[in-house]
Amino acid sequence: MQGFTWMLAEMKSKLEACRLLALKAAWKWDEGQPFETDSSELKVFTTPTIQEITRMAVQIHGSYGYSKEYKVERLHRLAMHQGVVASSLEINKTIAGIALLR
């Protein structure tokens, strides 16, 4: 069970990092500060991170992780779809990179 606890700890820390980046972007928006760069950085980081977290969750569930009877299957499917729907990861990388060069 040690491997599972390590995976859960890693998943939790990655999820917390995503949450903190989202809170930072939301705080800047609430304060009326420019948040476009933060929003792009958030998407660049969270999309692959959430995909990794849900992949690990499917792995923990084993073959049940692919069964539509379990919520983890739907979450994994939605996470994989997120990279296509949110906006292009490459566009967000460009926005974040240009901000660094300024």
Side-chain angles (χ1 to χ4, degrees), residues 17-35:
C18 291
R19 184 173 289 133
L20 289 172
L21 282 171
L23 287 172
K24 178 184 173 193
W27 176 80
K28 282 192 169 185
W29 183 71
D30 284 343
E31 295 295 315
Q33 297 179 13
F35 66 94

Side-chain angles (χ1 to χ4, degrees), residues 49-81:
T49 303
I50 295 301
Q51 291 172 347
E52 176 67 13
I53 291 170
T54 58
R55 186 201 57 77
M56 292 169 81
V58 167
Q59 185 177 354
I60 288 171
H61 283 79
S63 60
Y64 291 114
Y66 294 103
S67 174
K68 290 191 184 256
E69 297 173 10
Y70 293 89
K71 188 175 183 179
V72 69
E73 182 273 337
R74 184 176 65 81
L75 293 173
H76 183 61
R77 208 168 3 100
L78 289 172
M80 291 301 133
H81 186 66

